[in-house]
Amino acid sequence: MNDLSARLTDRDHPLRIHLIGVAGSGMSGLALLLMGMGHRVSGSDRVTSGETERLQKLGLAFSSPHTAEAVQGADVVVYSSAIRPENSAYAAATAAGTPVIRRAVCLAAILHTRKGIVVSGTHGKTTTSSMVAHSLREAGLQPSHYVGAEIPVLGANARWSEDGEWMVAEGDESDGTLALYHPACSIILNIEAEHLDHYKDLDEIKEVFTTLVNQTSGPVVYCKECAVATEVATKSAQAVSYGWSGADYTAAEIRELRGATAFTVVRNGEILGDVELGIPGRHNVLNALAAIATADKLGADFRLVSRALNTFAGAKRRFETKYLSQRLRIVDDYGHHPTELAATLQTARSLKPGRVVVLFQPHRYTRTQALADDFGKVLQAADKVFVTDVYPASELPIPGVSGATLVEAAKRHGDGDVVSLPNLATAHHVVGNFLEPGDLLITLGAGNVHEAGTRIANDLKVLEEILRLAPVDEIDAKLYEPMRRHTTMLVGGPAQFWIEPHSFGAFAAVVNHCRERGIALRVVGRGSNLLVRDGGMRGAVVHPSGGVFSECRVEDGKVIAGAGVRLKKVASVAQAAGIGGFEWMEGIPGNVGGALRMNAGAMGTETFDQVASVTFLDEDGEIRVRSRDEIVANYRDVPELRRNFALQAVFEGKPDTAEAIQGRWDASRSKRRTSQPVAASAGCIFKNPTETPAGKLVDELGLKGCNEGKARVSEVHGNFIVNGGGATASEVLAVIERIKAAARESRGIELETEVKVLGEDEYTF
Ligand code: EPU
């Protein structure tokens, strides 16, 4: 290996090096370093990624997929731990007798060409190695670096610096490779029982760290708060400690600011100076102390180090703020061990949000099983936790181990609100809908849980833009509102953007905004005549309600009602004012907007029989009033209102006595009670065809009572499909198809649905 280090620094003879699996984060860092050192670097991978494209621009000869040709003529071949011996490039290199080495061996060889600083420990490696590299860079030491993730302040996960003598590297203890390094300086953050797939027990882990300590020629900086790290590090004659008290470097007067942390650094009892660290969390104060102690030992100017820590913005996926507005903050964190979760939740609390809401994806079955109890304990610190299925990370499932294991563990440890939400693909619907102003959402885990946060963040941006269109008291909005809460049939997937305007102005602003931005838009009322498919509704679903939309009053003998008023309410307001003719409305479950749009009717009367005028928003985004004679209204269809949106209507009736009105009201009610079901339904499913009423037809076809899952044709009335409890839209649609097919085949009648069927079969957002 020393031989390789020597060859790597021989400028006169650049090597031809091939990297198998170059798209991985560790391998791409090596590519950057080796190219920076002046070697001719090629790489292959199964996939092409943004990372491989970036590397190609910097000179990497990239090929995909892996081939035997790719390694031809290589002096050295480096492979990622994900590569198996059958890999064609790997097999060809071995057959050709080319030196084939592991990633960590190559990194060690590079590190030995410089004065290495290895950052090790169970938690906090990436953050701390980034802090060290950034601090040394700002202090003018021009270090090279190699860290485990993309760090915005560092520019990339690895960088070769031609002039500096130092190189900062994140050391990986997970597979024992820590023992490969002979650095000038080591940092040990903490040592815990982790990676028990590789190690027998904590003693075996300690051995690897002890080897590193023995191989370190200069300072061993360690955290005094960790007993195991202290035990291992103090074997060095040059051990340097940091911690909360009694250590060489300590922090005093810690002040948690919004998103940052201020403290005073004390070195062996003397004040060194102040730091305002650019990231939150007490555990990051410890990480910063590690960086400060190291930089100080290397002779860096404290003022420059302090300034660097102030501009430190943190690593991707390490308490990374993905969305921040007046109302909400979304943070993503890679934490997957109970200690990390505890630190992350404490940081979250320090930001003083209304509620800390967590979406946690457990990582690996082995860890979930081994540490279930500790997870159960630390999760109590959040106000609400949703736990998904386990992210396997190449492991096979262990029977009986799942996200639910942690929910059960949490129940044993307190009354924290921890629930199971197995499917990550749709978890964002539930979590996004749960959020309220003031909340802090953390997506937590080392797998792909961050994708849920990204989806919510993207949609929140759109939603909050819409909310800003009107004064706060004139509009409400939510993400992913389940449409089953807004349909009388209690069926349907989520609405991507659920919007409730409470004024004409807010309604018009929303409609115009969506039209300009190309956001799909639907207006829904009470959902009494609506069937939403299980995949939900993409775009904006506007539900006018409250304010002017819920007002219903009598003026000059006419009833004026907003689009959000229930027809039953119109009927009772009219009755109280002695206006007759509205009694048929008592049994219609919908509201004014929907009734206008489809010209709803019952007992031989239709909505437009009583309309005097309608106020609506027209296609140009203008609010206009049109009188009855200017509007064409057909049986269950008003062409004009397919494009325009009704906002309010004026209805006419005839003065009548209270007794006469009550009589008709009672007649309607008793007819409905005897001829229509009370179970959840969307009213009549089909329009009555000219030949015969649809209900009678279904009855004659013998289809009453037939079902698909929980969706059933009512025994009371053939034109009703009822939800027997938890029916899905696809079940309802299957019943509809069955009836249509039977009507077509037996009677040659083409039934047309009266209910509007909206939305998508599959989730698309
Ligand atoms: N019939 C049967 N078997 C059945 C159902 C009905 O033989 O299972 C017969 C009835 O005996 C009657 C005829 O079919 O002779 C018509 O039935 P009904 O009087 O119940 O009226 P409908 O046409 O089925 C219409 C509206 C209802 C409204 C009622 C009452 C349509 C599609 N439906 O029903 O509106 O409540 O009149 O006025 O126009 C709705 O639109 O959602 C709705 C429920």
Side-chain angles (χ1 to χ4, degrees), residues 608-629:
F608 272 83
D609 293 342
Q610 288 179 274
V611 165
S613 67
V614 178
T615 304
F616 61 90
L617 184 74
D618 78 4
E619 277 175 293
D620 310 323
E622 294 296 323
I623 295 168
R624 296 183 203 283
V625 181
R626 198 163 285 186
S627 62
R628 170 67 186 91
D629 51 12

Side-chain angles (χ1 to χ4, degrees), residues 590-615:
N591 57 17
V592 169
L596 290 168
R597 185 173 170 145
M598 64 167 295
N599 193 17
M603 312 290 287
T605 309
E606 289 178 343
T607 305
F608 272 83
D609 293 342
Q610 288 179 274
V611 165
S613 67
V614 178
T615 304

Side-chain angles (χ1 to χ4, degrees), residues 157 258 562 723:
N157 57 347
R258 212 179 139 80
N723 182 351

Side-chain angles (χ1 to χ4, degrees), residues 48-334:
T48 305
S49 64
E51 188 60 26
T52 60
E53 280 164 16
R54 255 198 311 280
L55 289 170
Q56 266 176 296
K57 288 199 187 99
L58 295 170
L60 177 84
F62 177 72
S63 57
S64 181
H66 301 286
T67 57
E69 291 76 55
V71 295
Q72 252 173 30
D75 298 309
V76 179
V77 170
V78 187
Y79 64 98
S80 130
S81 52
I83 300 302
R84 308 219 178 271
E86 322 60 278
N87 177 288
S88 51
Y90 180 94
T94 331
T98 312
V100 179
I101 59 173
R102 286 191 294 160
R103 177 188 69 89
V105 173
C106 181
L107 175 63
I110 297 173
L111 199 62
H112 295 152
T113 69
R114 286 286 156 96
K115 286 183 166 176
I117 301 168
V118 170
V119 182
S120 69
T122 319
H123 321 293
K125 288 187 289 291
T126 303
T127 301
T128 310
S129 49
S130 312
M131 280 183 189
V132 175
H134 181 56
S135 301
L136 296 185
R137 192 199 280 184
E138 294 299 297
L141 271 66
Q142 295 179 284
S144 300
H145 73 255
Y146 176 92
V147 299
E150 238 175 84
I151 313 294
V153 291
L154 292 178
N157 57 347
R159 177 166 176 269
W160 182 253
S161 162
E162 200 46 43
D163 301 316
E165 55 178 347
W166 296 96
M167 174 162 174
V168 184
E170 177 177 335
D172 188 2
E173 80 289 1
S174 69
D175 55 2
T177 48
L178 210 50
L180 293 171
Y181 307 119
H182 292 73
C185 173
S186 290
I187 299 174
I188 303 180
L189 302 166
N190 40 58
I191 304 176
E192 282 188 46
E194 247 280 82
H195 304 293
L196 294 172
D197 48 333
H198 183 81
Y199 295 105
K200 194 166 82 232
D201 53 20
L202 186 61
D203 282 340
E204 217 175 271
I205 300 174
K206 271 157 66 176
E207 262 172 51
V208 177
F209 279 90
T210 304
T211 308
L212 176 71
V213 168
N214 292 337
Q215 291 172 177
T216 303
S217 60
V220 175
V221 178
Y222 71 96
C223 180
K224 204 155 184 261
E225 301 307 315
C226 173
V228 187
T230 306
E231 181 197 329
V232 170
T234 46
K235 289 178 181 145
S236 161
Q238 297 189 59
V240 178
S241 64
Y242 65 91
W244 298 129
S245 62
D248 297 325
Y249 292 82
T250 59
E253 289 183 53
I254 301 169
R255 276 117 39 224
E256 279 166 358
L257 315 172
R258 212 179 139 80
T261 323
F263 56 94
T264 303
V265 182
V266 181
R267 180 179 59 191
N268 297 319
E270 274 177 40
I271 289 178
L272 203 56
D274 291 327
V275 168
E276 192 178 315
L277 180 64
I279 53 173
R282 287 177 81 87
H283 62 294
N284 281 324
V285 174
L286 284 180
N287 291 337
L289 283 174
I292 291 163
T294 306
D296 196 38
K297 285 287 158 193
L298 267 49
D301 181 341
F302 176 79
R303 284 169 310 166
L304 297 177
V305 172
S306 170
R307 209 165 67 189
L309 292 172
N310 185 229
T311 56
F312 187 75
K316 280 208 163 169
R317 305 228 51 214
R318 309 300 195 276
F319 213 84
E320 181 193 354
T321 296
K322 299 184 64 160
Y323 186 83
L324 181 61
S325 72
Q326 295 285 337
R327 298 168 78 245
L328 284 159
R329 184 196 282 256
I330 300 180
V331 164
D332 179 48
D333 194 277
Y334 190 73

Side-chain angles (χ1 to χ4, degrees), residues 659-736:
E659 296 72 41
I661 294 173
Q662 192 61 47
R664 285 193 299 271
W665 183 294
D666 292 343
S668 167
R669 184 156 56 185
S670 77
K671 159 143 195 199
R672 181 167 48 82
R673 287 209 173 146
T674 49
S675 67
Q676 295 183 2
V678 289
S681 78
C684 285
I685 285 283
F686 300 104
K687 291 182 183 174
N688 282 337
T690 42
E691 297 89 338
T692 175
K696 188 158 180 275
L697 173 63
V698 172
D699 197 348
E700 287 165 4
L701 290 168
L703 290 173
K704 277 179 153 182
C706 84
N707 74 300
E708 290 283 343
K710 294 285 183 189
R712 194 179 74 243
V713 178
S714 165
E715 276 91 353
V716 184
H717 193 300
N719 201 7
F720 284 70
I721 296 176
V722 296
N723 182 351
T728 63
S730 59
E731 288 168 355
V732 177
L733 288 166
V735 175
I736 290 176

